[in-house]
Amino acid sequence: MSNFPSQVRLLSNLIRYAQYRMSRSFTIECHRPTILHKKGVDIIHNPWFNKGTAFSLTERDRLELRGLLPTNVLTVEQQIDRFTTDLKKIELNARDGDTVSLAKWRILNRLHDRNETMYYKILINNIKEYAPVVYTPTVGLVCQKYSGLFRRPRGMYFSAADRGEMMAMVYNWPSEQVDMIVVTDGSRIMGLGDLGVQGIGIAIGKVDLYVAAAGINPQRVLPIMIDVGTNNETLLKDPLYLGLQEHRLEGDEYVSIIDEFMEAVFNRWPHVIVQFEHFQGKWASMLLHRYRNTYRMFNDDVQGTAGVAVAGLLGAVRAQDKTMIDFPKQNIVVAGAGSEGLGLLKAARRTMARISGNNKHAFESARSQFWVVDVNGLITEERNNIDDDLKSFSKKSKEIKRRGLSEGASLLEVVQEVKPDVLVGLSAVGGLFTNEVLTALQGSTSSRPAIFALSNPTTKVECSPEDAFSIVGKHIIYASGSPFKDVDLGNGETGYCNQGNNMYLFPGIGLGTLLSGARIISDGMLQAAAECLAEYMTEDEVHKGIIYPPISRIRDITKAVAVAVIKEAVEERLAEGYRDMNYRDLKRLNKEEILLHVENNMWQPDYPTLIYKND
């Protein structure tokens, strides 16, 4: 009889869950027949609906495709075999690394332009191999060459010449519903600087990952470029450059363009989520503060990079045989005070404060754990004309004098004196962590110092993994922003190269926000995402020095992050529900049921049944 109450509770939960399942439609959207108002060549030329040689004979009759395709009907597996065979030939024939990756990008892009379902099926099934092609690091090269690579438009382009017209322009996009927009102004593409309209390549890469990792329907994602000119003199003089050939708008004129854009897209798609991407530092934080409490938006460079880095920092603490409680005691040197660096500082400080008790004293004391160095050296209270947010991380005069340092002390001097547990690079200065800096890190007070060389692309990384392991020691934790191969340390030992890739978080943040129907994306939702990622690794993995999971698990990681975001949105009473799942329904669900809700709302790359209906 002692187990009777627990049996009753179990039976009650099972009944409730059965009722929940019966009351919901779990039919995945892509399995429903798709009604089209077009047929014939219009379908073949539409990448959303084209199946190529996989159209069945029945569909060919129904859609008036007979005679427009070769006779033999192939399975999707046969189609993929044909495609990947051609793709493998590229690797065999090409010699230069950039040539190989760029050639792969070209072929994949051509596939996308004719058959999106097959494109995403290949990308999802081979995400580890092709994520570096559609995203970091190849996307940097693509952006540099985009004017020459352009063949068919993807996404939308809003420019300074479109002022007053954007509210009407958004209706030129053919999709009635858009869930995710990734927008850039091309002003600071990775570590490559101002690439103007060519920065659309980064937005395209990001929406591809929203589909592949988060299962957002590809008909509901939209990459956008806001072209307000460029200050890149090479592009201004290039007759083949595709963007506005005038210097960038500044001040109120610039802000008015972004304001008009935001009003236009949310007017047509009130529930869309907008991810800001690669805006230069002076605009990134300002625009984030301007819109985040009004629109469903976030800045991946500021908030996503910070979340991934914080997850890695927490993982490094675990790898040092410590617990999360020890995180607020970590001494962290951050090289780089741009939007990404500031985002990391603020997120890490909030995490430290929360772990320490989430009170004002804890928040203030966390300040002392950070040492921030920019191009002018150590930032102290004596520094003039610095951002108020960054000022809160400046070192106090008494402390730096006690340490024998001064305003503007070099990175080497700071590392030698502080002996940090963690050295973080978000500087976009390749090789910033010189041999001398790495040698100084040998004196770290930590038994296992961590090096986060997070700048992208690979040419901008602060130090290579080989240098880090050979100079500082085999015992370190190493993470980078771009992918590197693990280092063979000899004697059967491996130096693991963790990629602190934003794709671990932003797809889950977007998916969780979408399915929760949250009004805004709060700091709590972002923190829940970071903590979920930090907890994803097993104890065995972190002790080996593996603090981020393999990209091959990205779909499962995204599900877990989305669940964490939904739960936090519900707890903060920000959730309003999605489709037939309202706030009260979400509140009643346990973690497993939320996961099922997430899984059943993720698009799968399967060919739908197509039905023609005359208007």
Side-chain angles (χ1 to χ4, degrees):
M1 293 294 292
S2 61
N3 290 328
F4 183 72
S6 62
Q7 291 171 345
V8 171
R9 284 194 299 272
L10 176 61
L11 180 60
S12 176
N13 286 339
L14 288 172
I15 292 172
R16 181 167 62 85
Y17 184 55
Q19 291 172 335
Y20 162 73
R21 289 207 54 165
M22 291 173 64
S23 68
R24 303 292 169 201
S25 170
F26 286 94
T27 303
I28 297 175
E29 185 173 287
C30 63
H31 289 165
R32 298 171 183 153
T34 299
I35 307 298
L36 300 180
H37 304 293
K38 58 183 71 177
K39 53 188 175 180
V41 293
D42 287 339
I43 294 177
I44 293 176
H45 293 161
N46 189 321
W48 284 352
F49 306 116
N50 181 33
K51 303 182 187 180
T53 52
F55 279 110
S56 68
L57 294 178
T58 302
E59 284 181 314
R60 296 182 190 200
D61 284 335
R62 188 165 61 229
L63 302 172
E64 298 183 4
L65 297 175
R66 278 217 183 238
L68 301 181
L69 294 165
T71 306
N72 195 15
V73 177
L74 300 185
T75 65
V76 66
E77 289 75 18
Q78 289 174 313
Q79 286 183 311
I80 290 173
D81 285 344
R82 288 179 63 237
F83 178 80
T84 52
T85 297
D86 287 341
L87 199 56
K88 295 297 180 186
K89 290 177 182 177
I90 295 293
E91 298 178 64
L92 295 175
N93 297 331
R95 297 178 181 176
D96 178 73
D98 281 350
T99 302
V100 173
S101 58
L102 198 57
K104 283 184 178 180
W105 182 89
R106 285 176 184 270
I107 292 178
L108 284 167
N109 193 55
R110 286 201 292 266
L111 174 62
H112 176 276
D113 286 347
R114 64 178 184 270
N115 187 332
E116 285 198 11
T117 303
M118 183 175 160
Y119 171 82
Y120 287 115
K121 195 172 190 70
I122 289 173
L123 183 57
I124 290 169
N125 292 344
N126 304 275
I127 192 69
K128 182 179 179 181
E129 181 178 359
Y130 295 135
V133 177
V134 301
Y135 185 47
T136 305
T138 306
V139 71
L141 182 62
V142 169
C143 288
Q144 289 176 296
K145 299 177 179 291
Y146 198 78
S147 288
L149 294 171
F150 180 88
R151 294 294 180 272
R152 176 174 175 164
R154 282 190 67 181
M156 292 193 75
Y157 299 79
F158 295 83
S159 79
D162 298 317
R163 277 176 282 199
E165 301 295 333
M166 295 183 194
M167 193 69 75
M169 286 173 61
V170 291
Y171 288 91
N172 292 339
W173 187 249
S175 182
E176 288 301 316
Q177 179 59 47
V178 171
D179 293 330
M180 291 299 318
I181 286 175
V182 179
V183 61
T184 183
D185 69 350
S187 58
R188 194 198 54 79
I189 298 301
M190 304 173 79
L192 302 170
D194 183 350
L195 295 182
V197 77
Q198 300 183 155
I200 186 70
I202 193 73
I204 291 170
K206 293 276 186 170
V207 297
D208 277 350
L209 293 180
Y210 266 117
V211 178
I216 306 295
N217 189 315
Q219 295 181 34
R220 295 187 171 198
V221 295
L222 176 56
I224 289 180
M225 161 56 60
I226 299 180
D227 183 5
V228 291
T230 179
N231 292 333
N232 185 320
E233 293 299 325
T234 300
L235 297 179
L236 289 172
K237 297 173 183 176
D238 184 354
L240 299 181
Y241 175 62
L242 297 176
L244 284 177
Q245 288 190 294
E246 53 190 54
H247 286 98
R248 285 188 170 274
L249 288 181
E250 296 290 345
D252 291 342
E253 278 193 292
Y254 173 85
V255 175
S256 69
I257 293 290
I258 311 299
D259 281 348
E260 183 180 349
F261 160 76
M262 292 293 280
E263 184 179 0
V265 295
F266 279 94
N267 182 70
R268 184 178 182 194
W269 302 297
H271 303 294
V272 72
I273 300 161
V274 176
Q275 175 178 317
F276 276 57
E277 195 69 34
H278 292 308
F279 284 70
Q280 59 185 313
K282 69 178 180 179
W283 293 123
S285 295
M286 183 276 225
L287 295 174
L288 177 61
H289 290 307
R290 187 176 182 85
Y291 302 128
R292 68 172 306 188
N293 294 318
T294 306
Y295 298 113
R296 297 211 297 180
M297 60 81 62
F298 70 108
N299 186 303
D300 187 45
D301 303 309
V302 177
Q303 297 164 299
T305 299
V308 172
V310 167
L313 294 175
L314 292 171
V317 173
R318 293 175 63 195
Q320 295 166 354
D321 289 322
K322 298 176 182 177
T323 65
M324 299 290 192
I325 297 174
D326 295 304
F327 180 53
K329 303 172 187 175
Q330 297 266 294
N331 279 313
I332 302 173
V333 171
V334 178
S339 56
E340 292 97 335
L342 182 56
L344 164 62
L345 289 164
K346 294 169 73 174
R349 185 182 190 178
R350 282 194 301 269
T351 303
M352 286 184 173
R354 185 189 59 78
I355 291 173
S356 299
N358 214 18
N359 54 53
K360 185 176 181 180
H361 174 72
F363 190 76
E364 286 301 319
S365 65
R367 163 183 177 162
S368 64
Q369 304 306 114
F370 300 99
W371 299 76
V372 187
V373 180
D374 66 2
V375 66
N376 296 313
L378 178 65
I379 297 176
T380 73
E381 289 180 325
E382 297 172 15
R383 179 78 67 90
N384 296 319
N385 301 320
I386 60 172
D387 183 271
D388 286 341
D389 286 335
L390 189 57
K391 197 170 187 177
S392 66
F393 293 96
S394 61
K395 303 307 292 184
K396 294 183 177 181
S397 299
K398 288 182 180 179
E399 184 171 8
I400 63 170
K401 287 178 181 177
R402 178 173 58 82
R403 294 272 196 168
L405 295 170
S406 61
E407 160 63 27
S410 70
L411 176 63
L412 175 59
E413 291 172 327
V414 173
V415 172
Q416 287 173 331
E417 175 57 33
V418 175
K419 300 177 174 54
D421 301 286
V422 184
L423 175 60
V424 179
L426 282 164
S427 65
V429 179
L432 180 67
F433 297 167
T434 61
N435 290 357
E436 292 77 14
V437 170
L438 294 174
T439 300
L441 194 60
Q442 290 177 344
S444 168
T445 55
S446 172
S447 60
R448 199 171 191 184
I451 300 172
F452 286 72
L454 299 178
S455 291
N456 285 314
T458 49
T459 55
K460 302 293 183 178
V461 71
E462 283 79 8
C463 71
S464 69
E466 291 83 4
D467 285 345
F469 282 104
S470 64
I471 296 173
V472 186
K474 296 180 179 181
H475 60 299
I476 66 167
I477 306 296
Y478 178 86
S480 60
S482 292
F484 285 95
K485 293 181 179 179
D486 292 337
V487 177
D488 182 359
L489 301 176
N491 298 320
E493 295 181 276
T494 300
Y496 291 99
C497 299
N498 299 278
Q499 186 186 1
N501 197 320
N502 285 22
M503 71 182 289
Y504 287 126
L505 284 191
F506 75 77
I509 292 169
L511 180 61
T513 302
L514 175 69
L515 298 184
S516 71
R519 300 186 297 275
I520 61 169
I521 300 174
S522 69
D523 287 337
M525 292 162 67
L526 296 167
Q527 184 140 348
E531 290 178 3
C532 173
L533 177 59
E535 294 167 359
Y536 193 86
M537 307 306 297
T538 66
E539 290 301 320
D540 286 343
E541 287 171 324
V542 295
H543 286 149
K544 289 178 182 177
I546 305 172
I547 56 174
Y548 292 118
I551 295 296
S552 57
R553 293 191 215 165
I554 191 61
R555 197 101 165 167
D556 290 332
I557 296 162
T558 298
K559 292 175 190 176
V561 171
V563 169
V565 170
I566 292 171
K567 283 172 61 65
E568 182 63 26
V570 170
E571 285 186 23
E572 295 184 32
R573 301 186 67 84
L574 293 171
E576 296 183 349
Y578 176 75
R579 293 183 176 169
D580 60 347
M581 181 74 68
N582 60 36
Y583 168 76
R584 290 182 179 179
D585 292 329
L586 285 173
K587 190 175 180 180
R588 284 196 292 264
L589 301 185
N590 60 34
K591 187 175 180 179
E592 290 72 25
E593 291 166 346
I594 294 176
L595 177 60
L596 184 64
H597 175 57
V598 169
E599 289 174 340
N600 283 281
N601 278 285
M602 293 175 72
W603 178 83
Q604 302 292 336
D606 299 317
Y607 287 136
T609 299
L610 301 180
I611 297 174
Y612 171 73
K613 183 178 179 181
N614 194 333
D615 288 332

